[in-house]
Amino acid sequence: MTGLLFRGAVLLDGRRADVRVRGGRITAVGAGLDRAAEEVVDCRGGTLLPGLTDHHLHLHALAAAEHSVPCAPPAVASGEALAAVLGAATTGDDGWVRGTGYDASVAGDLDAAALDRLHAARPVRLQHRSGAMWVVNSAGAAVLDLAGTAHPGVERDAAGWPTGRLWRADDWLRARLGGGRFPDLTGVGARLTRLGITAVTDATPDLDRAAVDALAAARRDGALPQAVHLLGAPLEGGLPAGLSAGPLKLVLADSGLPDLDVLTGRIRSAHAAGRPVAVHVVTREALALLLAALEVTGVRSGDRIEHGALVPRGVLPDLARRGLRVVTQPGFLADRGDDYLRDVPADEHDDLYRAGSLAAAGVPVALSSDAPHGPLDPWGVMAAAVGRRTRSGAVVGAGERLAPAAALVAYLGPADDPGGPPRRVAAGAAADLVLLDGPPAEVLAAPSADRVRAVAVAGRLAWQR
């Protein structure tokens, strides 16, 4: 039996149709298509739409998080609770306890000494929820020989002694812990598929050849069925089959912004190599620096802002004029919005993870997860974009809400055109498809991963409830 026939589907435009798939492509869309030698999926009036694209996540970090100790509030909300989960954790194959999702609201700004008071018996490395920093205890610092390394990411006190904090040092840390071992992506691929995600953009910066080869192997072996677009692909050299290069990821780190000349040099190098840039921008200061740099370098089609966590209203016309796009994560509002309302000045609350005003100003907007640092579930992210509610039920920036259909469309742009025209279920299109268990108005009114009934990736039925 070759191919698939989705019988009795409802498309997003309300049409009822059968959809035939062969050779990885949609070959026919129409009413009453005759069955050929193909597997039939009875849609029973459910919505059939293109597969979703998560335009910003971190694949290897997501896989590693599956084998780590969750240390995030509200599940872990105090120093005592953190000590308990670290003490109960199983030591990894590398001899470490690995924790993720830490926030200072749990037990303050940790360093090695503070982490020792929570757990000193075994080496511990604890990742901040932003993904930008690791903290290790004294046992971990000794294993890593922090005192004897000159890596710039190793924070030191006034006397020159390591504090235990490591800033944006993931590659160095991995090498120190044994080199090119990368976590298995089979579980991540399956999880993405069940959520209806058929393409992803890995936003990890500065990928080395070992990381690229590991991703290519996961694609080749079928562990990762999703199409993979890389922001961290190096400027020099090609990519293995199964991977594509996106804009070059540049990080304007909260912990220390680069000089303007350094930033303009990096942007020019990317543009000269034919690559746009995808710039990590979280603060107002970082956004101002980026716009100043682009005033010097000019904008290349495809240049984009990652996160846009704080975007002043006054810069919206400038973003539109320059042709920039924004890939943002309103899921953070549902996950951490109460913290933002507490910690961010009240007059900046409307600037948090803008969406509606960006779209109204003509700035293309794509939604994404930033998983594992943000919630992966795209349906939950859509609900957050529509409602903008925190865990407590407070609303953050009501004027930034997206209509349900617009939130879905923000997941339907192709990987190389986030925020662009949505892909459609049409003859000739790639057969990456998601079947939901109700008509469009119903499933958009209450987006939920529980409504995903079947997923086809590259024309093959990859999962069915």
Side-chain angles (χ1 to χ4, degrees), residues 386-412:
V386 172
R388 297 184 65 89
R389 292 191 178 275
T390 70
R391 289 182 185 273
S392 71
V395 174
V396 183
E400 295 301 321
R401 286 171 165 153
L402 291 178
L408 174 59
V409 163
Y411 264 102
L412 295 182

Side-chain angles (χ1 to χ4, degrees), residues 240-450:
L243 306 176
S244 60
L248 181 69
K249 177 74 174 288
L250 303 179
V251 176
L252 302 187
D254 315 343
S255 55
L257 295 176
D259 291 335
L260 178 61
D261 288 346
V262 171
L263 179 57
T264 56
R266 295 200 68 191
I267 294 173
R268 280 179 169 141
S269 294
H271 287 178
R275 296 266 296 276
V277 292
V279 188
H280 169 107
V281 171
V282 172
T283 64
R284 288 174 167 227
E285 293 77 11
L287 179 57
L289 177 62
L290 172 62
L291 294 178
L294 292 174
E295 187 68 28
V296 175
T297 64
V299 174
R300 182 181 179 87
S301 178
D303 284 347
R304 53 192 259 191
I305 292 170
E306 305 299 304
H307 308 301
L310 282 168
V311 177
R313 178 172 287 277
V315 306
L316 300 183
D318 194 16
L319 300 182
R321 176 179 63 82
R322 295 176 189 271
L324 295 171
R325 62 191 69 207
V326 176
V327 178
T328 190
Q329 298 89 29
F332 282 127
L333 299 177
D335 192 46
R336 309 175 189 174
D338 292 312
D339 295 342
Y340 298 149
L341 292 178
R342 181 192 65 226
D343 299 335
V344 175
D347 61 354
E348 297 180 10
H349 287 176
D350 287 347
D351 297 341
L352 286 161
Y353 292 98
R354 287 187 181 273
S357 63
L358 287 168
V363 178
V365 176
L367 300 185
S368 61
S369 68
D370 196 22
H373 311 305
L376 176 62
D377 180 0
W379 309 97
V381 174
M382 290 179 217
V386 172
R388 297 184 65 89
R389 292 191 178 275
T390 70
R391 289 182 185 273
S392 71
V395 174
V396 183
E400 295 301 321
R401 286 171 165 153
L402 291 178
L408 174 59
V409 163
Y411 264 102
L412 295 182
D416 60 358
D417 190 16
R423 291 168 295 118
R424 299 169 51 242
V425 177
D432 297 324
L433 298 166
V434 178
L435 175 64
L436 307 177
D437 70 356
E442 181 182 312
V443 296
L444 287 173
S448 170
D450 293 337

Side-chain angles (χ1 to χ4, degrees), residues 132-134 150-156 163-169 172:
M133 181 183 72
W134 290 90
H151 190 277
V154 177
E155 183 183 276
R156 298 178 183 274
T163 65
R165 298 190 186 106
L166 310 175
W167 292 93
R168 299 198 177 277
W172 176 87

